[in-house]
Amino acid sequence: MEDIEREIEDSDPTSSRGGRNLTLQSRMPNIKVFSGSSHPDLAHKIVDRLGIDLGKVVTKKFSNLETCVEIGESVRGEDVYIVQSGSGEINDNLMELLIMINACKIASASRVTAVIPCFPYARQDKKDKAGLEGRKEEANKPSPQQTRLKTNEWKFRSRAPISAKLVANMLSVAGADHIITMDLHASQIQGFFDIPVDNLYAEPAVLKWIKENIPEWRNSIIVSPDAGGAKRVTSIADRLNVEFALIHKERRKANEVASMVLVGDVREKVAILVDDMADTCGTICHAAEKLKDAGATKVYAILTHGIFSGPAISRINNASFEAVVVTNTIPQEEHMRDCSKVQCIDVSMMFAEAVRRTHNGESVSYLFSNVPY
């Protein structure tokens, strides 16, 4: 009986025998970071910051354009992070991300976190009254139904899908245990998930850039190009201790602004337009023209996600911006080459720190108001 007790005591790492003092240490699974094909440069910067190597993964397409992913190393019991942004060929990249998540999950990964700097389909986050537009055009013509239109508005609500919710469901079903993203188009998208979502903010990096690159920032005014971004600009204006303004816009249809009304005084001030994303740039270029007409001395635009599709670059080149500043949540090398006004803020250190803190079980909220150095 004594021999059995001695064996148990010897095998207990918390016991102290023969001058040895062993402590029980909780084991955390090792970390593996893989990159999808949408933004490998950002993934390399993240692993360089973490001081680890990027995981081996081979992505290819079959002749019928099906995506095939092969994870090139063991992930059993590992803490896996997959970096894939919603840019470029969005549908292919989204499918690639889902397959990578599933491949790691069925290979017995301990936890799979999707690092999605720019969340795909984020603008399709609700049903709206877009389907009413055609009815309003008809209402301009005299008709017996014209007076009944307003009372029956609810009948003509858009039948559009809530695609952001669909993407959330797809990520969860694929096997994602956690999502890390930045500046969601609408914060309520976090509620579409039944898994934890860390929505990082570019605001600390934006404040740092403004103070370092705009000498007259104390005489600036922060402007939102639409009413939806009012909360974002008030937060930045409060931290800089400057005023803010907003522009009310009306759209006839997607990517086409009908009219704009400036609310606020920008005369003799440096106007800084702040938004979460810019696609065709019709809104921000129209807003810049409005600000110049209202007496702003200079106009800057700071955007988290610079999508810049279609005529965006030519519009920026022809607009009166001092600079259009974006983060590298989306690859920007080609845009910077085509337009000298486009400048880039590196946010890879924020994602790397979020990965490190998540892996070590630390709080991520520090990153909501600070830039890690």
Side-chain angles (χ1 to χ4, degrees), residues 2-58:
E2 289 181 3
D3 291 339
I4 295 174
E5 289 176 352
R6 192 176 298 113
E7 287 179 11
I8 293 173
E9 192 176 4
D10 286 340
S11 64
D12 183 3
T14 61
S15 66
S16 176
R17 298 187 77 250
R20 290 177 302 167
N21 187 11
L22 303 176
T23 57
L24 181 63
Q25 296 181 352
S26 61
R27 175 186 174 275
M28 283 208 69
N30 291 329
I31 186 170
K32 289 283 175 69
V33 178
F34 295 99
S35 173
S37 57
S38 68
H39 202 347
D41 180 59
L42 179 64
H44 278 100
K45 287 180 178 178
I46 289 172
V47 295
D48 287 347
R49 172 89 179 190
L50 293 171
I52 60 176
D53 294 325
L54 199 61
K56 297 180 179 66
V57 60
V58 177

Side-chain angles (χ1 to χ4, degrees), residues 104-162:
C104 292
K105 200 65 181 176
I106 63 177
S108 302
S110 173
R111 177 174 62 177
V112 179
T113 299
V115 181
I116 313 174
C118 180
F119 193 84
Y121 291 92
R123 285 177 287 182
Q124 298 183 44
D125 62 330
K126 63 182 180 298
K127 286 196 174 190
D128 53 26
K129 294 184 181 180
L132 189 61
E133 289 161 2
R135 300 281 182 168
K136 282 183 177 177
E137 288 174 9
E138 291 174 12
N140 291 331
K141 304 171 186 176
S143 71
Q145 290 80 23
Q146 185 172 355
T147 55
R148 290 162 46 200
L149 179 66
K150 289 187 178 179
T151 58
N152 292 336
E153 274 186 355
W154 60 273
K155 291 183 180 178
F156 311 127
R157 285 184 183 273
S158 169
R159 295 177 184 87
I162 304 177

Side-chain angles (χ1 to χ4, degrees), residues 5 31 34 43 56 70 81 84 91 96 121 140 243 283 289 311 372:
E5 289 176 352
I31 186 170
F34 295 99
K56 297 180 179 66
E70 296 175 1
Y81 296 83
Q84 182 81 309
N91 295 330
E96 181 181 294
Y121 291 92
N140 291 331
E243 295 180 2
T283 299
E289 184 182 338

Side-chain angles (χ1 to χ4, degrees), residues 130-249:
L132 189 61
E133 289 161 2
R135 300 281 182 168
K136 282 183 177 177
E137 288 174 9
E138 291 174 12
N140 291 331
K141 304 171 186 176
S143 71
Q145 290 80 23
Q146 185 172 355
T147 55
R148 290 162 46 200
L149 179 66
K150 289 187 178 179
T151 58
N152 292 336
E153 274 186 355
W154 60 273
K155 291 183 180 178
F156 311 127
R157 285 184 183 273
S158 169
R159 295 177 184 87
I162 304 177
S163 303
K165 169 66 172 172
L166 175 62
V167 172
N169 289 343
M170 291 165 69
L171 289 165
S172 298
V173 170
D177 299 298
H178 182 207
I179 305 292
I180 297 175
T181 186
M182 177 171 277
D183 275 3
L184 284 169
H185 187 63
S187 295
Q188 63 265 26
I189 292 175
Q190 295 172 84
F192 294 171
F193 290 88
D194 293 324
I195 57 176
V197 177
D198 283 321
N199 181 30
L200 305 179
Y201 299 99
E203 181 182 303
V206 167
L207 290 167
K208 182 172 179 285
W209 189 92
I210 290 173
K211 291 178 179 178
E212 291 178 355
N213 295 275
I214 303 179
E216 317 96 316
W217 67 267
R218 287 183 175 82
N219 185 40
S220 65
I221 184 166
I222 314 299
V223 185
S224 172
D226 55 37
K231 191 173 180 181
R232 186 181 299 110
V233 300
T234 52
S235 176
I236 293 175
D238 287 346
R239 294 188 65 178
L240 290 174
N241 195 26
V242 298
E243 295 180 2
F244 72 92
L246 63 87
I247 293 173
H248 173 67
K249 67 181 179 183

